[in-house]
Amino acid sequence: MNAYSYASVSANVISSIFILVSFIFIFNYKHKPGAKQLGLMLVLAFIASVSTFLELLSNSFDGKLFWRNFNQIGLFILPATILSFAIAYVNEHRRVFKWILWITYFYEIISVILIFTNDYHHIMRSSVELAIKGGIPYLEVHQTLLGKILVAFNQIVGFITVLLIGLFYRKSSKHTKVQVLLILIGITIPVFYFWIRQAILSSTGIVIPVSVSFLFSIVLILWGFLRYDLMSITPIARDWVIDEINEGMIICTPEGTVVDTNRKAQQIFGTEMDKISAMIAQYENWSNAFKTNEDRSIEISLIDQSMKKYFFITIYPLKKGQRSLGTVSIIRDITEERQAKAELLEKVEHDGLTKVLKRDAFEEKVSQLLSDEDNKERKCSMMIMDI
């Protein structure tokens, strides 16, 4: 066994150990959403890694062919399982993704069956030969057109998964971005490895064991478990709830710098954090609320598309012990309430026919004018006319 063989065997052994350790961690999280899909991913990755290792150790054609076929159970079904995990992780409920998932599982299982029975029909492979390269026996597999199409379709499923998590990463909040990024990188590595292997490495003669791509992915998953609580779906669900509520939410530092907003707040104030921070500074009662450690409520108004809008804002301090972490402002649009109140007040104070003030409203307005400090030095008179 030369240096290349030792390197390949070592990579497969290390990868298999990491996958096994990761599965043990996953088992402790088995009741959490997404844990079953991730556990199945690790089982399939383990099958692919171990079968690759056993294929390297086997010297006979039948032995290598058996483990190569067994390897396809892991490699072919893995993309559907990764997509299944991604759908559970990002809480995707659209029916089209469920249809894609079931179709993918169906064709992948059929593909594995066709691979194991290829000697009877040659649908997937036109030929399989035992060749020698550098003193190492290996299988030289020639795929049929259908086999290449099915492999290409698997790569498309992988790209759909990366796109799904990538879009979710863009809209995730800052406190979950690292967690989502670990998932994104961990899934992207094997997806792009398979594409690079098919498009580039196969033509150059460079052979890198598939377990190497698993190794980097598993390291990221383990790091996520130990450092960022990777399987904590709670923050993901919390992000979804925060974005779906019909109230704006702005999170600020103790100095008043905006660090995060939800979707409703972005619809009201825009998406640029710096501009929102500058806007808050213009409202003295809002910016002053950051200096206190008590809940405060204020009302503000702003012009939106030539329409005056009113907002009721409650500012809550965020603390850890005696240390201030910042504030969270909950913004509620009260424009309709103010308009309804104004319309109701108009009906109460004014006569329905003549539209003039009623007696009580008139006396109240006169009292206000007479008590106004600016009017104390002025002379005034009252004219009463009978209509």
Side-chain angles (χ1 to χ4, degrees), residues 77-88:
I77 302 178
L78 193 58
T81 309
I82 294 175
L83 178 60
S84 175
F85 168 74
I87 290 173

Side-chain angles (χ1 to χ4, degrees), residues 167-223:
L167 292 174
F168 184 72
Y169 172 79
R170 287 191 60 188
K171 65 180 183 179
S172 61
S173 64
K174 289 189 176 181
H175 63 270
T176 55
K177 274 193 179 294
V178 175
Q179 182 186 130
V180 181
L181 184 61
L182 286 173
I183 291 285
L184 180 60
I185 296 174
I187 289 176
T188 300
I189 289 174
V191 168
F192 277 89
Y193 165 78
F194 288 125
W195 179 80
I196 292 172
R197 187 181 68 170
Q198 293 291 330
I200 301 173
L201 297 183
S202 59
S203 60
T204 61
I206 300 174
V207 180
I208 300 176
V210 68
S211 57
V212 173
S213 67
F214 293 148
L215 181 60
F216 287 111
S217 298
I218 299 307
V219 167
L220 288 173
I221 291 174
L222 281 177
W223 176 249

Side-chain angles (χ1 to χ4, degrees), residues 358-385:
K358 294 181 180 178
R359 180 187 181 95
D360 291 342
F362 176 79
E363 291 179 350
E364 184 180 348
K365 293 288 186 182
V366 170
S367 298
Q368 289 176 356
L369 289 172
L370 293 176
S371 62
D372 192 339
E373 293 291 334
D374 295 336
N375 293 329
K376 282 190 174 181
E377 301 298 326
R378 294 181 181 180
K379 294 181 179 181
C380 61
S381 60
M382 181 183 299
M383 182 181 295
I384 299 177
M385 293 182 297

Side-chain angles (χ1 to χ4, degrees), residues 82-306:
I82 294 175
L83 178 60
S84 175
F85 168 74
I87 290 173
Y89 186 74
V90 305
N91 200 27
E92 177 59 67
H93 294 295
R94 280 178 288 182
R95 186 172 295 180
V96 62
F97 282 97
K98 291 184 178 180
W99 277 106
I100 291 174
L101 182 61
W102 284 113
I103 292 172
T104 304
Y105 267 123
F106 176 77
Y107 103 83
E108 287 179 351
I109 292 172
I110 294 297
S111 297
V112 171
I113 294 172
L114 290 175
I115 288 173
F116 271 91
T117 59
N118 189 74
D119 288 343
Y120 300 99
H121 48 68
H122 299 287
I123 292 177
M124 298 293 289
R125 299 163 177 167
S126 57
S127 65
V128 181
E129 301 170 356
L130 185 64
I132 305 293
K133 187 174 184 180
I136 303 173
Y138 72 98
L139 288 181
E140 192 171 276
V141 178
H142 300 280
Q143 293 178 316
T144 62
L145 178 60
L146 177 62
K148 292 178 180 179
I149 291 173
L150 293 177
V151 170
F153 189 79
N154 252 359
Q155 292 173 350
I156 293 173
V157 173
F159 286 124
I160 291 174
T161 306
V162 171
L163 180 62
L164 181 64
I165 298 181
L167 292 174
F168 184 72
Y169 172 79
R170 287 191 60 188
K171 65 180 183 179
S172 61
S173 64
K174 289 189 176 181
H175 63 270
T176 55
K177 274 193 179 294
V178 175
Q179 182 186 130
V180 181
L181 184 61
L182 286 173
I183 291 285
L184 180 60
I185 296 174
I187 289 176
T188 300
I189 289 174
V191 168
F192 277 89
Y193 165 78
F194 288 125
W195 179 80
I196 292 172
R197 187 181 68 170
Q198 293 291 330
I200 301 173
L201 297 183
S202 59
S203 60
T204 61
I206 300 174
V207 180
I208 300 176
V210 68
S211 57
V212 173
S213 67
F214 293 148
L215 181 60
F216 287 111
S217 298
I218 299 307
V219 167
L220 288 173
I221 291 174
L222 281 177
W223 176 249
F225 265 109
L226 298 173
R227 180 66 179 84
Y228 295 105
D229 191 17
L230 187 61
M231 278 312 298
S232 178
I233 303 295
T234 302
I236 306 301
R238 183 173 62 213
D239 282 351
W240 181 82
V241 170
I242 288 173
D243 273 338
E244 290 300 315
I245 61 175
N246 198 35
E247 294 179 336
M249 182 177 293
I250 298 177
I251 301 173
C252 299
T253 65
E255 295 76 27
T257 302
V258 177
V259 294
D260 203 1
T261 59
N262 72 340
R263 188 177 302 159
K264 185 65 177 180
Q266 292 171 6
Q267 291 173 357
I268 299 171
F269 304 113
T271 59
E272 297 184 32
M273 305 291 186
D274 293 339
K275 289 185 177 180
I276 299 176
S277 299
M279 181 272 300
I280 291 175
Q282 295 175 2
Y283 294 92
E284 188 175 350
N285 53 352
W286 194 351
S287 57
N288 287 341
F290 299 146
K291 302 173 184 177
T292 67
N293 287 322
E294 299 177 354
D295 298 355
R296 294 189 63 178
S297 297
I298 62 172
E299 285 190 21
I300 68 168
S301 62
L302 57 84
I303 305 299
D304 180 25
Q305 296 180 353
S306 302

